[in-house]
Amino acid sequence: QNEKAKEEAARLGSTETIDDVKLVIKDVLGMDASLAVKTDFRKASLLRLATHSEQNKSYEEAQKYLSEYLNRYSDDALIPVVLLRQGDLFRKMGAYDLERQKYYDVIKAAPKVSLDGNKFDLKYVKQVALIARSQIADSFYEEASKLPQYEAKGKYASAAEMYNRLAADDEANTKVITLKYIRSLYKQGEYSRVTDAGD
């Protein structure tokens, strides 16, 4: 039964609509498989439902599925990734403060991940935290680009400060981050600092 359930569960990856996912859910959960197999399947189903909702631009529905994942599986190693996805959805909804809060939640959640030495090691924890920090800086920059110049300057300054700190991280792509830092300085009108950073 476990093997049959896993075979059916593999169909999730080829689903094209939410209705397709629901059919697979009905089939797999109707089988006499073990609790562990069904739990893994439920996790994958919630993520797949969120993906289809996002593709349909139903961002609030996608948030609902991801929130359910967080509530049900609060100790799961993928929690930081789910939080990253929530932040990305908030950006698409134009809710920049909520987006950044989710990324701060990622930074808090990442060190709590249970390391098993295979999929989830210290490198995973560092990478997910670095992505969150980078996304916070990108969020400030993107929000600033939608504001009038007199309001935008502070957001560009926050983005520049974040990029400057990120550039010092050994794990960061220094060239890309430094270019983003220079771009943020330029948008503030800090031309002498742009020249210094460019040199």
Side-chain angles (χ1 to χ4, degrees):
Q1 286 294 311
N2 281 348
E3 290 310 311
K4 282 183 183 177
K6 286 176 184 177
E7 284 173 23
E8 285 296 307
R11 289 170 41 213
L12 271 179
S14 60
T15 55
E16 294 184 6
T17 67
I18 286 180
D19 289 337
D20 292 345
V21 175
K22 288 179 178 175
L23 283 173
V24 178
I25 290 172
K26 186 179 173 188
D27 290 345
V28 173
L29 296 184
M31 298 175 132
D32 190 22
S34 71
L35 179 62
V37 168
K38 285 188 174 180
T39 298
D40 286 344
F41 172 73
R42 283 188 178 102
K43 290 177 186 177
S45 298
L46 286 169
L47 296 177
R48 194 67 181 158
L49 287 164
T51 297
H52 285 309
S53 297
E54 184 177 355
Q55 287 168 348
N56 294 336
K57 296 190 175 8
S58 300
Y59 301 132
E60 287 181 15
E61 188 175 310
Q63 288 284 20
K64 182 185 75 174
Y65 291 123
L66 295 177
S67 293
E68 190 175 337
Y69 191 108
L70 294 172
N71 290 332
R72 281 193 188 185
Y73 310 110
S74 56
D75 295 332
D76 193 72
L78 285 179
I79 291 297
V81 176
V82 174
L83 290 166
L84 278 174
R85 285 186 67 179
Q86 282 195 310
D88 190 47
L89 285 168
F90 278 128
R91 181 181 299 188
K92 289 177 179 176
M93 295 161 78
Y96 295 104
D97 288 339
L98 291 172
E99 174 199 6
R100 289 189 288 270
Q101 184 54 57
K102 284 295 170 185
Y103 297 143
Y104 284 117
D105 290 345
V106 171
I107 294 166
K108 282 189 255 172
K112 297 176 187 169
V113 169
S114 177
L115 307 178
D116 64 11
N118 295 324
K119 284 196 292 189
F120 306 109
D121 55 11
L122 195 55
K123 187 176 179 188
Y124 163 75
V125 170
K126 283 182 176 178
Q127 280 181 333
V128 81
L130 181 69
I131 290 168
R133 289 168 58 212
S134 178
Q135 293 288 66
I136 291 167
D138 289 346
S139 172
F140 278 121
Y141 187 91
E142 187 173 318
E143 184 180 8
S145 70
K146 294 186 164 72
L147 294 171
Q149 186 59 33
Y150 69 92
E151 285 183 50
K153 196 167 183 178
K155 301 289 183 187
Y156 283 129
S158 296
E161 184 186 336
M162 295 283 306
Y163 288 132
N164 194 31
R165 275 192 254 144
L166 275 168
D169 194 307
D170 293 339
E171 302 284 319
N173 182 333
T174 310
K175 289 179 184 176
V176 172
I177 297 294
T178 304
L179 283 171
K180 288 182 175 184
Y181 170 61
I182 290 169
R183 182 183 65 176
S184 301
L185 291 175
Y186 179 81
K187 289 287 188 177
Q188 293 174 71
E190 299 277 354
Y191 302 122
S192 60
R193 291 175 68 196
V194 167
T195 307
D196 292 342
D199 290 340

